[in-house]
Amino acid sequence: MSKYAAGIIADLIRRKPDCVLGLATGSTPIGTYRELIRLHKEEGLDFSRVKTFNLDEYLGIGMDLSKPYHLDQSYARFMYEELFKHINIKLENTHIPDGLTKNPEEFCKAYEEEIKKAGGIDLQVLGIGGDGHWGFNEPGSPFTSRTRVEALTKQTIDDNYEAFYKAAGIPKEEMPHYAITMGIGTILEARSAIMLANGAKKADIVAKALEGPVTNEVTASAIQIYKGDITVILDKDAASKLKNL
Ligand code: F6R
């Protein structure tokens, strides 16, 4: 999965060295990022002109060194540790919603503007949340939604608790309950996309998103009205509930 996904990203970078990538965090794309690091180190894949925009960030945390308590859990930190510090990308070309912004509304508008100014996203990397979210577009998010602050569902908080907080011993009540996320409308404007999912835990929601009704109760079902090229990359377990394989 990771090799295939990284291959698509690498092909684009070779064809268009100044391409704009939309990136996701979470456990699913880690292997893809490791493969991109390998391609950079062993095959000279050049990120020097690549621009990136991440889908989301928890509100209230970030890479601000004055807030060590939340430091390691930020998506900014995740991107730096899992990808950016290992490749020759210019950090000024990377964009991640600022979880510590004093004015989230203004920030979200400016984020949308930045994406436009960069020429739009050439390739968006997506996972899928247990409740069917893309980015942090929780059930009920309109398909026309743009970058904004979104309240996280209980399921998302439970899903992310282990990955981000168990290790640090932070109680669930103190996890951020809000995030900044690109909207579904923002994501649908990307010229192409890849969606990754693995594991039996994702089988039901993958089947709902790909074969169920198009509904903002499962925001990833927007895939069915997406007009760009999208490649869905699943392992056997995640694909096990699909009827039309
Ligand atoms: C994260 C993001 C989320 C994740 C989703 C799946 O930037 O956009 O939508 O893709 O929550 O997370 P994992 O991969 O940890 O199962």
Side-chain angles (χ1 to χ4, degrees):
M1 284 178 68
S2 299
K3 281 209 156 118
Y4 195 80
I8 293 174
I9 299 168
D11 278 351
L12 173 66
I13 296 172
R14 289 190 195 103
R15 261 188 295 123
K16 188 176 177 187
D18 61 346
C19 65
V20 180
L21 301 177
L23 298 178
T25 57
S27 55
T28 314
I30 291 179
T32 303
Y33 296 153
R34 290 204 177 134
E35 177 61 10
L36 285 175
I37 295 165
R38 191 194 67 76
L39 287 170
H40 167 68
K41 294 202 161 136
E42 292 176 16
E43 298 180 25
L45 186 65
D46 180 15
F47 290 82
S48 61
R49 294 169 63 202
V50 172
K51 290 195 180 120
T52 64
F53 287 88
N54 264 77
L55 283 166
D56 45 14
E57 175 65 284
Y58 291 111
L59 199 62
I61 67 173
M63 270 182 81
D64 181 346
L65 292 172
S66 68
K67 294 204 167 70
Y69 176 62
H70 279 140
L71 189 64
D72 290 336
Q73 286 74 39
S74 80
Y75 283 175
R77 167 67 54 167
F78 174 101
M79 288 312 303
Y80 183 71
E81 295 295 336
E82 297 295 338
L83 182 62
F84 297 155
K85 80 172 184 189
H86 305 283
I87 57 177
N88 67 332
I89 198 159
K90 296 195 173 90
L91 285 181
E92 64 266 29
N93 286 344
T94 67
H95 304 81
I96 299 173
D98 179 5
L100 297 172
T101 177
K102 297 270 178 308
N103 189 339
E105 210 170 303
E106 279 305 307
F107 177 86
C108 292
K109 267 193 218 144
Y111 201 68
E112 289 274 337
E113 281 308 310
E114 282 287 316
I115 295 173
K116 269 199 201 114
K117 235 173 56 196
I121 290 170
D122 291 302
L123 175 63
Q124 176 67 54
V125 178
L126 295 162
I128 180 170
D131 63 4
H133 66 218
W134 266 353
F136 273 136
N137 291 279
E138 300 289 39
S141 303
F143 285 173
T144 52
S145 53
R146 313 299 308 187
T147 303
R148 69 198 186 290
V149 173
E150 174 75 346
L152 305 181
T153 60
K154 182 178 175 309
Q155 183 175 351
T156 296
I157 292 168
D158 290 348
D159 287 350
N160 291 356
Y161 175 58
E162 194 173 329
F164 289 92
Y165 285 82
K166 233 179 194 165
I170 294 167
K172 210 177 271 182
E173 318 78 72
E174 288 182 28
M175 278 180 66
H177 284 49
Y178 293 88
I180 294 178
T181 182
M182 279 188 205
I184 294 293
T186 322
I187 294 168
L188 290 175
E189 280 171 12
R191 283 184 277 281
S192 66
I194 51 184
M195 182 176 113
L196 296 148
N198 60 271
K201 240 172 63 183
K202 295 281 172 77
D204 283 317
I205 199 67
V206 163
K208 276 191 193 159
L210 299 186
E211 295 181 337
V214 176
T215 167
N216 61 4
E217 285 307 308
V218 179
T219 55
S221 69
I223 193 171
Q224 298 181 48
I225 58 163
Y226 178 57
K227 293 197 173 69
D229 289 330
I230 183 156
T231 306
V232 178
I233 305 168
L234 307 170
D235 71 354
K236 273 197 181 144
D237 287 339
S240 61
K241 300 268 172 82
L242 289 171
K243 293 197 186 75
N244 301 312
L245 262 189

